Amino acid sequence: MPILLELFLTFFKIGMFTLGGGYAMIPLIQREIVEKRCWVAESEFFELLAMAQSSPGPVAVNASVFVGYKVAGKTGSIIATLGTTLPSFLIILVIAAWLVDYRTNPYVESFFKGIRPAVVAMIAAPLYSLGKSMQIGVAGLALAVAVALLVAIAGVSPAILIAIIAAASLLIGLTRKPAPEKNSDANIP
Amino acid sequence: MLPLIQHEVVAAPHCWLSIADFIDIVAISQMTPGPIAINCATYVGYTVASSTFGAMIATFAVCLPPFIIMLTISSFYLKFRENHYMEMIFAGLKPAIIGLIAAAALTLMNSHNFIDYKSGIIFAAVFVATIAKVDPIKLVLASGLAGMIIYF
């Protein structure tokens, strides 16, 4: 299959099953992109999440842009974003155009009553294995808990937290072991 | 993003929609696939312009800024990821990402998503199945079906 078509179909599938908000996309991306197709390495996946969460806009769009760009450049990011947004676009269009009584439809209502707690479980369950594979340690765990509480309870913006933590880890890294000058510039073209 | 959309489409100078219509649109956006903000934009675009073209324009516009910003970040990242300083930054960010995902899960543990003890059972079952690496698409379909059996 041509890579662009595969990219489109994969993200179409992900867009189709991202029910209950953009975070529901995380387990889908992990399965379809990281495990099945290996377009993004496991270690890269965490970095992708950091970027997608701190950049403005829906996490789902941001993640599509990154994966699309990595797989097939700018065209790839356009194709992936189209794939993600098209299923919901078509469904909304049908509902809006034919004024389908969707919201109060008892089938839809009961379907979503089942899905909502499931989505929360799908987001929460991988946390333990994620933490383990990242080897974050006790200090990392404390930081993770602090971030979770600050965002969920105190309502601090994730982008601001990411910026502060990024700056702090750069500072700590620099004071611990100064970067060898050759190495630090080696990858700048 | 939703308060922003509300402010722009319900309040002056646009006054495109009544607050009741907007609340309806948000509810439908939550019950359709895809990011809520984008669904909302599609719906508002269709309603305000009464055309598919309006829906396309609104959806395109709401995707464009994040698209451009994320494209810039992605190309920057792919160029500099081996860089020593970038590695330092991402090492520190790892726990923060775990924290952000945990925050998302915490925020979703509310009375909208958990309506009774049966929600708790679905949560527990899917939690175990996710750890056992069951395909998330199958889990979404199975839990929706379970919902129809339990609640219909």
Side-chain angles (χ1 to χ4, degrees), chain B residues 22-38:
Chain B
F22 182 74
I23 289 171
D24 242 24
I25 288 180
V26 171
I28 292 173
S29 302
Q30 284 171 332
M31 295 169 80
T32 38
I36 292 160
I38 293 184

Side-chain angles (χ1 to χ4, degrees), chain A residues 68-85:
Chain A
Y69 185 79
K70 209 206 150 199
V71 173
K74 281 196 188 104
T75 322
S77 55
I78 294 172
I79 295 288
T81 312
L82 261 180
T84 309
T85 45

Side-chain angles (χ1 to χ4, degrees), chain A residues 102-166:
Chain A
Y102 182 83
R103 193 164 71 87
T104 48
N105 182 305
Y107 292 102
V108 177
E109 222 172 349
S110 52
F111 189 76
F112 272 88
K113 278 181 184 163
I115 279 184
R116 287 190 197 113
V119 167
V120 185
M122 283 160 61
I123 297 170
L127 282 172
Y128 176 72
S129 60
L130 273 180
K132 227 167 106 183
S133 71
M134 284 189 201
Q135 300 174 317
I136 56 173
V138 180
L141 187 67
L143 180 60
V145 171
V147 167
L149 295 179
L150 278 173
V151 173
I153 314 250
V156 179
S157 147
I160 291 172
L161 267 183
I162 293 246
I164 293 172
I165 295 167

